[in-house]
Amino acid sequence: MAASRPTANPLHKVDDHTIRASYGDVTFIPVPGGLTKPIPSLISFRLPDGVTAGDMHRAVLQQIAGRSWLIMGGIEVRIPVRHSPVFLAAEERKLGVLRAIQAGMEGNDRWWPVFERYVVGIAGRIDGLGGNSGEISPQRDFPRVRDSPGGNKDDGICGKVAELHYDCHGDFEGFVLETCTGRHVFRACARGIETLLHRACASEATISVQTRKDAPKKPLRIVWRCC
């Protein structure tokens, strides 16, 4: 069926539940008609070799009604290419949440095979980025920094993490906080701060950085805004 479409890329059978298509302008995946329930499915993209940070790859997915070629719906998938430290933190957070959801699913759930493959794929991505997926336990959320008792939530400089800085040896040495009025550079080397900033950057969260007047570039306290 797919091969009968004009300019279509061929589909290849990987196993009884997986098909693969090469990159191209148009790829058709035939779906049997007469179905009354959604089909549990998972689509994965493998980028070509040689991508660089800052690249943006896109794929448009559309549901087409048979011979009428009527477009029933569609989505656009955007795949940004980023440096692994920022990307890794987001994937670790995602895997912990997904494993918590998976722990509550029944084995006979029709979505179980797809969800299991999705979790395995995220774990493999983490390992490929230099992390250790085996150390990530199921959890609904990661702990976040909150105000201490008596703290003033309006203190400090509020903004989003724009850059993480590393020296020539790959050691963390600081970050840039972008606010509505400008950019602020801070010096830091603690591993805990680096981990927190990775997660804040990946989730585009707003944080507040408090400093001492005699050391305006050294964070004294970082608050993660939850709302």
Side-chain angles (χ1 to χ4, degrees):
M1 291 175 63
S4 65
R5 297 288 189 178
T7 67
N9 294 313
L11 300 177
H12 305 277
K13 179 180 178 181
V14 178
D15 55 44
D16 290 342
H17 304 285
T18 310
I19 55 176
R20 183 183 70 247
S22 301
Y23 175 80
D25 293 332
V26 179
T27 299
F28 290 97
I29 301 178
V31 178
L35 300 177
T36 58
K37 294 183 179 180
I39 302 175
S41 57
L42 173 68
I43 184 169
S44 301
F45 297 92
R46 181 172 181 175
L47 299 181
D49 296 334
V51 297
T52 58
D55 290 350
M56 176 68 74
H57 296 259
R58 294 179 173 85
V60 177
L61 310 179
Q62 295 179 333
Q63 181 181 0
I64 300 176
R67 298 183 181 278
S68 68
W69 288 77
L70 178 65
I71 297 177
M72 307 296 292
I75 60 172
E76 181 183 43
V77 179
R78 298 186 179 186
I79 309 173
V81 180
R82 301 174 179 173
H83 290 293
S84 59
V86 175
F87 194 68
L88 178 60
E91 294 303 291
E92 289 175 337
R93 178 186 179 90
K94 182 190 300 181
L95 181 61
V97 174
L98 290 176
R99 282 179 169 169
I101 296 174
Q102 186 181 30
M105 295 179 66
E106 298 291 339
N108 58 356
D109 191 308
R110 59 197 299 263
W111 282 93
W112 173 265
V114 170
F115 198 87
E116 182 180 32
R117 178 169 291 192
Y118 181 44
V119 173
V120 170
I122 297 297
R125 186 182 304 169
I126 290 173
D127 294 335
L129 292 171
N132 187 347
S133 62
E135 295 181 350
I136 301 176
S137 58
Q139 48 191 314
R140 291 291 178 179
D141 203 356
F142 281 85
R144 295 178 176 178
V145 177
R146 299 178 181 271
D147 291 331
S148 61
N152 183 354
K153 70 176 183 179
D154 294 326
D155 291 341
I157 301 174
C158 295
K160 297 181 182 293
V161 180
E163 298 174 4
L164 299 179
H165 291 176
Y166 295 83
D167 62 18
C168 61
H169 301 291
D171 295 326
F172 175 63
E173 64 177 9
F175 63 99
V176 175
L177 190 71
E178 187 167 351
T179 69
C180 295
T181 58
R183 295 161 65 91
H184 303 265
V185 180
F186 296 94
R187 306 286 296 181
C189 59
R191 185 65 181 271
I193 292 179
E194 179 190 8
T195 301
L196 173 67
L197 294 174
H198 280 166
R199 294 170 181 166
C201 183
S203 61
E204 299 184 352
T206 298
I207 65 172
S208 176
V209 179
Q210 300 175 9
T211 62
R212 299 174 61 94
K213 291 184 178 180
D214 57 350
K217 299 297 183 182
K218 183 178 181 180
L220 177 65
R221 187 162 169 262
I222 297 177
V223 178
W224 186 316
R225 301 299 178 197
C226 299
C227 61

